[in-house]
């Protein structure tokens, strides 16, 4: 008869003889670092980036709208009133230059509106009252008081805008209709029936 010691298998012997595993040491609580808080500097940077993106998108949107909408919606009307003929003395009146880019010229028998654009490259000439002429500051073209070129590179007189009188006797200017006198072509400045000038 075998003793109890003789019945123990090699495997059970190993299990019995294996020393207990040492458990891993627990991390100290102080080693857990809190990472969820966002520093104020990062928040500020994020705000600046989003503000830049929003600004760029707004600019692109406005450019898109500006490109596709009809110009007449976004720009002032080319038709406006400038008072009655009695408001203008003989000579050149520059009071509408800033607002409408025009001069009103009155002669002994006509009143007409000169579009204040140099026919060379489009600068706005200056009215020189002491010299009774317009002088372009860009390349020196000179025009007389009726806008007729006489010096410098300007190829033709300055254009004139359509003028009519409304039922109240107010002068109505239409910058959408211009009268020209291109070199070697017909002079349109005498087309009174089409509104090149008003008789006074
Ligand atoms: S734009 Fe006026 S002279 Fe050139």
């Amino acid at each position: 008869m075998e003793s109890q010691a003789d019945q123990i298998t090699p495997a059970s012997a190993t299990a019995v003889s294996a020393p207990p595993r040492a458990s891993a040491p627990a991390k100290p609580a102080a080693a857990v670092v809190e990472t969820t808080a966002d520093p104020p500097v990062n928040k500020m940077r994020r705000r600046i980036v989003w503000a830049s993106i929003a600004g760029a998108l707004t600019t692109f949107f406005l450019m898109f709208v500006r490109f596709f909408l009809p110009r007449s919606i976004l720009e002032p009307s080319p038709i406006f009133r400038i008072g009655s003929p009695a408001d203008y003395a003989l000579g050149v009146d520059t009071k509408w230059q800033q607002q409408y880019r025009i001069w009103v010229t009155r002669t002994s028998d006509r009143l007409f509106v000169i579009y204040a654009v140099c026919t060379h490259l489009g600068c706005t000439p200056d009215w020189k009252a002491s010299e009774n002429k317009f002088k372009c500051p860009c390349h020196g073209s000179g025009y007389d008081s009726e806008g007729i070129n006489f010096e410098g590179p300007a190829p033709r007189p300055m254009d004139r805008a359509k003028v009519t009188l409304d039922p109240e006797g107010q002068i109505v200017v239409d910058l959408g209709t211009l009268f020209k006198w291109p070199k070697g072509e017909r002079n349109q400045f005498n087309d009174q029936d089409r509104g090149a000038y008003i008789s006074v």
Side-chain angles (χ1 to χ4, degrees):
M1 185 173 184
E2 291 181 354
S3 68
Q4 280 189 332
D6 295 337
Q7 292 175 2
I8 295 173
T9 63
S12 61
T14 305
V16 168
S17 62
R21 274 189 201 160
S23 58
K27 287 184 180 177
V32 179
V33 178
E34 189 63 55
T35 57
T36 54
D38 202 6
V41 175
N42 284 350
K43 280 186 185 171
M44 181 62 72
R45 282 190 190 135
R46 205 169 296 131
R47 276 192 198 132
I48 291 172
V49 169
W50 279 114
S52 304
I53 291 172
L57 288 175
T58 304
T59 303
F60 284 133
F61 175 74
L62 292 176
M63 288 168 66
F64 177 84
V65 170
R66 175 72 180 81
F67 183 79
F68 284 102
L69 281 184
R71 296 173 75 86
S72 57
I73 293 178
L74 301 168
E75 294 183 351
S77 169
I79 300 175
F80 47 87
R81 287 170 173 73
I82 57 169
S84 70
D87 297 332
Y88 298 91
L90 280 177
V92 175
D93 193 314
T94 62
K95 66 183 168 195
W96 301 111
Q97 180 178 330
Q98 292 299 321
Q99 188 172 352
Y100 295 123
R101 206 177 180 185
I102 60 169
W103 300 296
V104 181
T105 292
R106 181 171 179 162
T107 64
S108 58
D109 62 346
R110 295 183 180 189
L111 182 147
F112 52 87
V113 166
I114 300 173
Y115 187 34
V117 176
C118 180
T119 54
H120 180 221
L121 293 176
C123 292
T124 302
D126 300 313
W127 170 241
K128 306 282 187 187
S130 61
E131 301 172 58
N132 198 39
K133 72 176 186 181
F134 297 98
K135 187 73 175 173
C136 184
C138 293
H139 313 99
S141 288
Y143 304 83
D144 68 16
S145 61
E146 298 189 13
I148 310 297
N149 57 309
F150 63 88
E151 64 181 357
R156 67 174 197 275
M158 285 187 279
D159 301 337
R160 298 181 187 178
K162 181 179 178 182
V163 281
T164 51
L165 288 175
D166 71 7
E168 287 77 44
Q170 295 288 302
I171 302 167
V172 181
V173 179
D174 180 2
L175 277 177
T177 302
L178 296 177
F179 296 88
K180 303 171 186 285
W181 187 5
K183 196 170 185 179
E185 296 183 29
R186 193 178 76 83
N187 176 4
Q188 300 178 345
F189 294 166
N190 295 316
D191 296 356
Q192 183 184 16
D193 55 329
R194 296 176 52 227
Y197 68 90
I198 295 169
S199 290
V200 290

